[in-house]
């Protein structure tokens, strides 16, 4: 427990420099000193996003768009928001790019350490609880919404949703990011228990494409992944081959 607490303190220390930058900017403004740097230079990089994951009999399917924005400026149009934290465990990241990358790095470190100490693959639930610990204990400093998905021999394919604030809930499917607000009705209407791998791939691709069409912070291409006991298979749908609907 003490070792974990030390690691959490190290994690909090990671953000001191960012807080100092914000304090300096506020001090300059309060003293009427010109601060004319453009938004794309000073704004925080946000993975204003659509992320999604679905359980099926043999594993999980998850996907995301690929746009990273800094205010109204698109900083990266081919971002990979599907991050591996263990051999058969991934996370989908939304929120501050810096925050979510740092959290994923910490979780990967903890899981590697556990695997080395126990000589066993970590479970998806353990990974999700470490995400929860970091997100909840630092909820006032972080902007991070995570979907943790993976496969383990104990429970098979699992999806855990961790929205802003650090709550952690297992769900048959989960959506997140700014684009998710446009597709809740579609997902509730389309999801059916017992869907096959191909049905889940189409479900995720259609939902993310619909969100990208409506949400200005989501865009680029769709990255998909199928994770089973045999490993992870990655798929990409380029921007000119996205699923189209009535608006085509």
């Amino acid at each position: 427990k003490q070792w974990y607490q030390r690691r959490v303190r190290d994690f909090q220390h990671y953000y001191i420099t960012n807080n100092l930058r914000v304090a300096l900017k506020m001090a300059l403004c309060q003293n009427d000193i010109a601060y004319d740097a453009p938004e794309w230079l000073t704004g925080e990089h946000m993975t204003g996003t659509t992320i999604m994951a679905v359980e099926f009999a043999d594993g999980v399917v998850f996907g995301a768009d690929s746009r990273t924005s800094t205010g109204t400026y698109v900083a990266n149009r081919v971002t990979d928001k599907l991050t591996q934290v263990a051999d058969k465990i991934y996370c989908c990241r939304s929120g501050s790019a810096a925050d979510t990358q740092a959290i994923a790095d910490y979780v990967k470190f903890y899981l590697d350490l556990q695997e080395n100490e126990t000589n066993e693959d970590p479970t998806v639930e353990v990974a999700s609880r470490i995400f929860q610990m970091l997100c909840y204990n630092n909820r006032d400093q972080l902007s991070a919404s995570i979907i943790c998905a993976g496969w383990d021999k104990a429970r098979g394919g699992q999806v855990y949703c961790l929205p802003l604030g650090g709550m952690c809930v297992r769900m048959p499917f989960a959506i997140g990011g700014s684009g998710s607000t446009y597709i809740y009705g579609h997902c509730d209407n389309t999801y059916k228990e017992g869907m096959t791998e191909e049905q889940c791939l189409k479900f995720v691709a259609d939902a993310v494409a619909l969100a990208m069409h409506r949400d200005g912070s989501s865009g680029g291409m769709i990255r998909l992944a199928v994770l089973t006991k045999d490993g992870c298979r990655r798929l990409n749908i380029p921007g000119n081959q996205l699923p189209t609907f009535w608006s085509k």
Side-chain angles (χ1 to χ4, degrees):
K1 182 177 180 181
Q2 292 178 349
W3 183 84
Y4 270 81
Q5 290 174 343
R6 288 200 304 272
R7 291 301 179 185
V8 170
R9 287 197 296 270
D10 292 343
F11 185 79
Q12 293 171 333
H13 179 72
Y14 178 85
Y15 290 93
I16 289 178
T17 54
N18 183 62
N19 292 335
L20 288 175
R21 179 182 63 82
V22 174
L24 177 60
K25 181 176 179 179
M26 293 176 62
L28 291 172
C29 294
Q30 290 173 354
N31 289 280
D32 296 325
I33 299 175
Y35 193 86
D36 298 327
E39 181 185 30
W40 61 266
L41 185 61
T42 60
E44 185 176 18
H45 283 220
M46 303 291 289
T47 57
T49 291
T50 303
I51 55 175
M52 184 172 181
V54 188
E55 296 180 1
F56 70 100
D58 298 324
V60 293
V61 173
F62 49 98
D65 72 306
S66 64
R67 176 174 292 178
T68 294
S69 56
T70 304
T72 56
Y73 173 77
V74 178
N76 189 344
R77 58 191 177 90
V78 289
T79 307
D80 187 359
K81 303 174 185 178
L82 312 179
T83 303
Q84 185 177 24
V85 294
D87 186 35
K88 294 185 177 66
I89 305 173
Y90 279 70
C91 70
C92 307
R93 303 179 293 107
S94 68
S96 165
D99 292 350
T100 55
Q101 287 171 0
I103 292 170
D105 287 343
Y106 268 84
V107 173
K108 188 176 189 305
F109 170 77
Y110 288 139
L111 295 180
D112 286 344
L113 187 62
Q114 178 192 348
E115 185 175 359
N116 290 331
E117 289 180 345
T118 63
N119 291 320
E120 294 183 356
D121 293 334
T123 64
V124 185
E125 183 177 11
V126 167
S128 68
R129 295 305 176 186
I130 298 175
F131 273 115
Q132 181 186 29
M133 177 189 71
L134 295 171
C135 292
Y136 180 78
N137 290 343
N138 299 278
R139 60 192 178 278
D140 294 330
Q141 291 82 32
L142 299 179
S143 174
S145 177
I146 305 288
I147 295 176
C148 181
W151 182 94
D152 61 55
K153 61 184 179 182
R155 297 184 179 179
Q158 300 154 71
V159 171
Y160 291 87
C161 182
L162 294 98
L164 291 173
M167 181 180 71
C168 181
V169 181
R170 182 179 178 182
M171 304 179 70
F173 75 91
I175 56 178
S178 57
S180 66
T181 57
Y182 298 92
I183 57 173
Y184 274 99
H186 167 77
C187 292
D188 289 340
N189 182 64
T190 306
Y191 175 77
K192 301 291 186 296
E193 291 185 2
M195 290 198 300
T196 65
E197 176 184 324
E198 292 302 320
Q199 289 174 324
C200 288
L201 281 169
K202 186 178 187 308
F203 177 39
V204 174
D206 287 350
V208 175
L210 284 167
M212 290 166 63
H213 180 67
R214 296 292 183 185
D215 178 33
S217 296
S218 300
M221 62 187 292
I222 298 177
R223 298 185 185 273
L224 299 170
V226 181
L227 185 58
T228 65
K229 64 179 180 180
D230 299 321
C232 185
R233 176 166 60 94
R234 299 289 295 261
L235 303 167
N236 295 323
I237 303 178
N240 60 352
Q241 298 177 19
L242 296 177
T244 55
F245 305 91
W246 72 268
S247 59
K248 65 180 178 181

